[in-house]
Amino acid sequence: MNITEFKIIKNDNMARTGYLRLKHGIVQTPIFMPVGTYASVKSILPYELKNIGAQIILSNTFHLWLRPGIDIINIHDGLHNFMQWDKPILTDSGGFQVFSLSKNRKITESGVSFSSPINGEKLFLTPEKSVQIQYCLQSDISMVFDECTPYKIGERVISKKETLDSMLLSARWAERSSIEFKNQENQNMLFGIVQGGMHEDLRQESIDRLSQIGFHGYAIGGLSVGEPKDDMKRILEHTAIKLPIKTPKYLMGVGTPEDIVHGVANGIDMFDCVMPTRNARNGWLFTRYGDIKIRNSKYKKDSSPLDESCQCYTCQNFSRSYLHHLQLTKEINGARLNTIHNLYFYLKMMQEIREEINNGTFDKWRINFINNRLSKLL
Amino acid sequence: MNITEFKIIKNDNMARTGYLRLKHGIVQTPIFMPVGTYASVKSILPYELKNIGAQIILSNTFHLWLRPGIDIINIHDGLHNFMQWDKPILTDSGGFQVFSLSKNRKITESGVSFSSPINGEKLFLTPEKSVQIQYCLQSDISMVFDECTPYKIGERVISKKETLDSMLLSARWAERSSIEFKNQENQNMLFGIVQGGMHEDLRQESIDRLSQIGFHGYAIGGLSVGEPKDDMKRILEHTAIKLPIKTPKYLMGVGTPEDIVHGVANGIDMFDCVMPTRNARNGWLFTRYGDIKIRNSKYKKDSSPLDESCQCYTCQNFSRSYLHHLQLTKEINGARLNTIHNLYFYLKMMQEIREEINNGTFDKWRINFINNRLSKLL
């Protein structure tokens, strides 16, 4: 018997709630996954992540392969033990990172050769290798190794022919990823990744090819890669609805609170993004009334909490003035308190989204949420 | 009735236990005070400090005066509320920092004029001003404004005459600090600071002058300022025993675990130092079996805890290998976990010291502790 499953609980127009049963626990969807690139969600420890309601995190195969290396992960019997996070982990395939090394990498049918940015070592990553690494990491959800089709090369928007070739390569690699995954003793999940750039027909062809292989879930890749916002919206709306309906839909690397709400409205179940954690460290804080740049001098003497309605540890204990001071003095505790708040904001937003969908009131909530965030510039 | 007091509980040779009753709580001595320069003990939050047994912290008047400024502290009704630490706080006087600005400062009988290193603003700090600022901070223990006599100016060891003049200036400023303190509605404590450089007779004269003024406690200043270790030892041993016996004895800015144990053996009751927190961020970790530089490649594959006998959160949950990885990837969580361990080590050491003194077994413990730390290089 396979221990994993995905069940849909409630539909509200195209939005939906459900749950993922994974080896390390249940994940309620729609869900946001905090990013822990190097086996560490920056500035926040596992017990704190649990306290603010995190159910699953994302970690990066490429980074972990280079540092600490898979031998170290094996010594600890997997990534969960290494970092002491006992809930589910999704790992990306390393494809996105390896293609970001625009210099010093060479793509062939077999895989990608490149030099390690850490120590210059010659490395070769293939679909098989990526899936093997993710097996060692003991990821609850592995991703296929694909080529993340760029929007531009230098200043040139890439052609449809290039996008097609890239998508077809990704499809062949997806099949090799799937074969490797099935060869493993594995009761986890493998997700396919839809490519096809800004072209509806190529997106459809990608979906068809992936569905034929068969995956536990399907992700939309190749968005938020520098394209105009309208193109992103068009392709998201086109693609999300065409994905297989009974498996999880995952929008990779997205995004702002507004992007996520829009994704949910189009049926997306899973999201990840560095935005809440990275912005926190830069003093950019999210609230339901708009965003706060805490460095702004108008917060210097502001003894009120970031958001009076927020129940997070930061808002319950500290003033805007104190957070402003910690940001200016570059105190680590500033990064910590900001990270707690931003991740709490994202995770609370997802919880509200699930409740509203279950109540059949998501659309009303969504309009109100978007208006509230726009109505005041803090 | 004055709510503050200092009581000695037990003497064991020159070492002693006792307690300080302060406005924000009881402090058991001998005690180590973690340093929270900018109203934040770097990388560790107030509730975590309590969890590892911190009873009092030190904060820096000079830094807080410049940032966030006393107006901001006043808005929050004191430093405790601003940083959400409800146990006692000792503040230094700013003297040490202002003299460290070797350029752009001018000393007169009245005080020190200097340019703010933050924004260049012309500032003037006097004994009266320093004590007023510490009053606004609502410090449980304020320190007199003094000149920390340097050991060298440039490459030249300063003369006895210069040391005498400096000590006499500090004594006059101590009296002005005391007068200002008594003018305030204040139920807190003010400590004097003994100067006199490396000269026993000048140290004695400083003690005599300060005792005549009368303080709630006496600190030894002007040590750990670049002098040879033997000079520090000689002056500490000479000075500590000469301090008034019924008031707390505080050795400022010291030091290594060995320095602290040596200080306790000479009757010192209070210590502060940035070493456990700063070294933590640099990957230097203290254990009872010797120190660990966690960046060392021999810890890369070491899945054992930092110190198996340590009960801190870090040692109970994470491997040396994981801490090594966090250090190499410059993760904030590495600074956090290292800080928890180092401060726990210092505070646990102080707790053991108090227990051993109460049992009359401190000297035996001390020899064993020093030998254990030297016997193994980790």
Side-chain angles (χ1 to χ4, degrees):
Chain A
M1 180 195 111
N2 199 320
I3 59 162
T4 63
E5 67 171 339
F6 176 65
K7 287 275 187 196
I8 294 167
I9 296 171
K10 182 81 200 294
N11 289 282
D12 183 4
N13 295 319
M14 279 163 63
R16 62 208 206 154
T17 58
Y19 65 85
L20 273 160
R21 190 144 57 84
L22 300 167
K23 191 176 171 191
H24 290 90
I26 300 279
V27 173
Q28 298 165 293
T29 60
I31 193 75
F32 176 79
M33 301 181 282
V35 177
T37 295
Y38 273 121
S40 163
V41 180
K42 288 191 193 302
S43 93
I44 187 165
L45 290 167
Y47 82 89
E48 295 170 312
L49 283 168
K50 282 191 197 175
N51 284 348
I52 60 171
Q55 301 184 38
I56 178 172
I57 63 169
L58 177 145
S59 204
N60 292 108
T61 293
F62 175 80
H63 290 87
L64 294 172
W65 183 37
L66 268 51
R67 289 193 295 186
I70 297 311
D71 53 338
I72 306 299
I73 301 291
N74 282 337
I75 288 170
H76 290 79
D77 192 24
L79 180 56
H80 291 83
N81 278 334
F82 183 59
M83 68 180 291
Q84 292 290 304
W85 168 256
D86 60 9
K87 288 177 179 279
I89 298 175
L90 178 146
T91 47
D92 66 5
S93 66
F96 183 78
Q97 282 79 19
V98 86
F99 291 106
S100 303
L101 303 169
S102 47
K103 295 169 191 168
N104 304 322
R105 61 139 167 84
K106 192 171 168 238
I107 306 171
T108 62
E109 184 64 30
S110 174
V112 186
S113 56
F114 64 101
S115 302
S116 160
I118 308 297
N119 58 17
E121 190 186 348
K122 296 286 176 201
L123 294 168
F124 191 56
L125 195 54
T126 64
E128 291 79 12
K129 180 81 185 169
S130 170
V131 171
Q132 286 160 14
I133 295 170
Q134 294 180 77
Y135 179 76
C136 292
L137 294 173
Q138 302 190 21
S139 313
D140 294 83
I141 302 176
S142 295
M143 302 299 297
V144 299
F145 187 71
D146 69 334
E147 181 182 27
C148 180
T149 310
Y151 179 69
K152 286 182 175 177
I153 297 176
E155 286 307 300
R156 180 177 64 82
V157 174
I158 75 163
S159 68
K160 186 164 182 180
K161 176 67 170 61
E162 289 168 308
T163 306
L164 170 66
D165 290 344
S166 169
M167 180 273 283
L168 291 174
L169 179 67
S170 284
R172 293 191 297 275
W173 284 359
E175 182 152 24
R176 285 168 54 192
S177 298
S178 172
I179 291 168
E180 182 65 28
F181 186 83
K182 285 175 184 161
N183 283 339
Q184 296 166 347
E185 277 186 36
N186 212 323
Q187 294 193 312
N188 294 319
M189 285 186 169
L190 179 69
F191 281 18
I193 304 176
V194 175
Q195 294 290 349
M198 303 303 140
H199 307 280
E200 280 85 347
D201 53 343
L202 298 187
R203 289 281 173 179
Q204 186 61 55
E205 184 172 346
S206 178
I207 293 172
D208 293 343
R209 286 176 181 271
L210 293 173
S211 313
Q212 204 149 357
I213 301 165
F215 290 96
H216 299 99
Y218 297 86
I220 303 176
L223 290 185
S224 279
V225 292
E227 75 279 7
K229 201 91 180 176
D230 280 352
D231 281 336
M232 177 186 162
K233 196 162 172 288
R234 174 174 57 83
I235 293 299
L236 167 63
E237 288 171 5
H238 170 83
T239 310
I241 197 170
K242 300 286 176 61
L243 293 175
I245 202 161
K246 293 189 174 174
T247 47
K249 304 178 180 188
Y250 165 28
L251 181 56
M252 301 181 83
V254 173
T256 65
E258 285 73 11
D259 289 338
I260 288 176
V261 168
H262 184 67
V264 169
N266 283 278
I268 300 293
D269 306 298
M270 301 166 70
F271 302 87
D272 80 277
C273 192
V274 296
M275 191 172 270
T277 41
R278 179 178 293 165
N279 285 20
R281 298 194 301 282
N282 296 328
W284 179 302
L285 297 159
F286 297 94
T287 86
R288 58 183 62 230
Y289 307 111
D291 297 343
I292 287 179
K293 293 181 185 175
I294 199 66
R295 296 186 72 89
N296 193 310
S297 61
K298 70 179 161 185
Y299 301 120
K300 186 171 162 62
K301 300 189 180 184
D302 186 344
S303 63
S304 62
L306 266 183
D307 177 356
E308 280 190 9
S309 68
C310 177
Q311 299 298 309
C312 86
Y313 174 75
T314 304
C315 289
Q316 291 294 308
N317 287 281
F318 300 95
S319 69
R320 290 173 174 182
S321 172
Y322 185 62
L323 298 174
H324 172 85
H325 166 69
L326 294 181
Q327 194 69 28
L328 259 57
T329 50
K330 301 187 175 71
E331 287 285 337
I332 288 175
N333 281 341
R336 290 185 59 187
L337 293 173
N338 293 350
T339 299
I340 288 171
H341 173 82
N342 272 0
L343 280 180
Y344 181 90
F345 175 84
Y346 266 66
L347 294 167
K348 184 71 166 48
M349 173 180 76
M350 300 315 292
Q351 188 195 334
E352 284 188 25
I353 286 172
R354 291 191 297 268
E355 288 167 4
E356 298 292 336
I357 294 171
N358 285 340
N359 293 336
T361 51
F362 173 67
D363 270 349
K364 192 179 157 198
W365 175 90
R366 175 167 68 100
I367 291 161
N368 193 43
F369 179 83
I370 301 288
N371 283 343
N372 264 335
R373 294 216 352 122
L374 290 179
S375 62
K376 292 180 203 164
L377 278 178
L378 299 180
Chain B
M1 180 195 114
N2 198 320
I3 61 164
T4 63
E5 67 171 339
F6 176 65
K7 287 274 187 195
I8 293 166
I9 295 171
K10 182 80 200 292
N11 289 282
D12 183 6
N13 296 318
M14 280 163 61
R16 61 208 204 153
T17 57
Y19 65 85
L20 273 160
R21 192 144 57 85
L22 301 167
K23 191 175 171 192
H24 290 90
I26 300 278
V27 172
Q28 298 164 295
T29 60
I31 194 74
F32 177 80
M33 302 181 280
V35 177
T37 296
Y38 274 121
S40 162
V41 180
K42 289 191 191 305
S43 93
I44 187 164
L45 290 167
Y47 81 88
E48 295 171 312
L49 283 168
K50 282 191 198 175
N51 284 348
I52 60 172
Q55 300 183 39
I56 177 172
I57 63 170
L58 178 145
S59 205
N60 293 108
T61 293
F62 175 80
H63 290 87
L64 294 172
W65 183 36
L66 268 51
R67 288 193 297 187
I70 298 310
D71 53 338
I72 305 300
I73 301 291
N74 283 337
I75 289 170
H76 291 79
D77 192 24
L79 180 56
H80 291 84
N81 278 335
F82 183 59
M83 70 180 291
Q84 291 291 302
W85 168 256
D86 59 9
K87 288 176 179 278
I89 298 175
L90 179 147
T91 47
D92 66 5
S93 66
F96 183 79
Q97 283 79 21
V98 86
F99 291 105
S100 303
L101 303 170
S102 47
K103 295 169 191 168
N104 304 322
R105 61 141 166 85
K106 189 167 171 244
I107 306 172
T108 62
E109 184 66 31
S110 173
V112 186
S113 56
F114 64 101
S115 303
S116 160
I118 308 298
N119 58 17
E121 190 186 347
K122 296 286 174 201
L123 295 168
F124 190 55
L125 196 54
T126 64
E128 292 78 11
K129 180 81 185 169
S130 170
V131 171
Q132 286 160 14
I133 296 171
Q134 295 180 76
Y135 179 76
C136 293
L137 295 173
Q138 301 190 21
S139 313
D140 293 82
I141 302 176
S142 295
M143 302 299 298
V144 299
F145 188 71
D146 68 336
E147 180 181 30
C148 180
T149 310
Y151 179 69
K152 285 182 177 178
I153 296 176
E155 284 308 298
R156 180 177 65 83
V157 174
I158 75 163
S159 69
K160 187 165 181 180
K161 175 67 168 62
E162 289 168 308
T163 307
L164 170 67
D165 289 344
S166 169
M167 181 272 284
L168 291 174
L169 179 66
S170 284
R172 293 191 297 274
W173 285 359
E175 183 152 23
R176 284 167 56 191
S177 299
S178 173
I179 291 167
E180 182 65 28
F181 186 83
K182 285 174 183 161
N183 283 339
Q184 295 166 349
E185 277 187 35
N186 211 323
Q187 295 194 311
N188 294 319
M189 284 185 170
L190 178 69
F191 281 18
I193 304 176
V194 175
Q195 294 289 348
M198 303 304 139
H199 307 280
E200 280 86 348
D201 55 342
L202 299 187
R203 288 281 174 180
Q204 186 60 56
E205 185 172 346
S206 179
I207 292 171
D208 293 343
R209 287 176 181 268
L210 293 173
S211 312
Q212 204 148 0
I213 302 165
F215 291 97
H216 299 100
Y218 297 85
I220 303 176
L223 290 184
S224 278
V225 291
E227 75 281 8
K229 200 90 180 176
D230 280 352
D231 280 336
M232 176 186 161
K233 198 163 170 287
R234 174 174 57 84
I235 293 299
L236 167 63
E237 288 171 5
H238 170 82
T239 310
I241 198 169
K242 301 285 175 62
L243 294 175
I245 202 162
K246 291 188 176 175
T247 47
K249 305 179 180 187
Y250 165 27
L251 181 56
M252 301 182 82
V254 172
T256 65
E258 284 73 11
D259 288 338
I260 288 175
V261 168
H262 185 67
V264 169
N266 282 280
I268 300 293
D269 305 299
M270 301 167 70
F271 303 87
D272 81 277
C273 191
V274 296
M275 191 173 270
T277 40
R278 178 178 292 165
N279 285 19
R281 298 194 301 284
N282 296 329
W284 178 302
L285 297 159
F286 297 94
T287 85
R288 60 181 63 230
Y289 307 111
D291 296 345
I292 287 179
K293 294 180 184 175
I294 199 66
R295 296 186 73 90
N296 192 311
S297 61
K298 70 180 162 185
Y299 301 120
K300 187 172 161 60
K301 299 190 180 184
D302 187 343
S303 62
S304 61
L306 267 184
D307 176 356
E308 281 191 8
S309 68
C310 178
Q311 301 297 310
C312 86
Y313 174 76
T314 304
C315 289
Q316 292 293 308
N317 287 280
F318 300 95
S319 68
R320 291 174 174 183
S321 172
Y322 185 63
L323 297 174
H324 172 85
H325 166 70
L326 294 181
Q327 195 69 28
L328 260 57
T329 51
K330 301 187 175 69
E331 287 285 338
I332 287 175
N333 281 341
R336 289 186 58 187
L337 293 173
N338 294 350
T339 299
I340 288 171
H341 173 81
N342 273 0
L343 281 180
Y344 181 91
F345 174 83
Y346 266 67
L347 294 167
K348 184 72 166 49
M349 173 179 76
M350 300 315 291
Q351 187 194 333
E352 285 187 25
I353 285 172
R354 291 191 297 268
E355 287 167 4
E356 299 291 335
I357 294 171
N358 285 340
N359 292 336
T361 50
F362 173 68
D363 271 348
K364 192 179 157 197
W365 176 91
R366 176 168 67 100
I367 291 161
N368 193 42
F369 179 83
I370 302 289
N371 284 342
N372 265 334
R373 294 215 354 120
L374 291 179
S375 63
K376 293 179 201 166
L377 278 176
L378 298 179

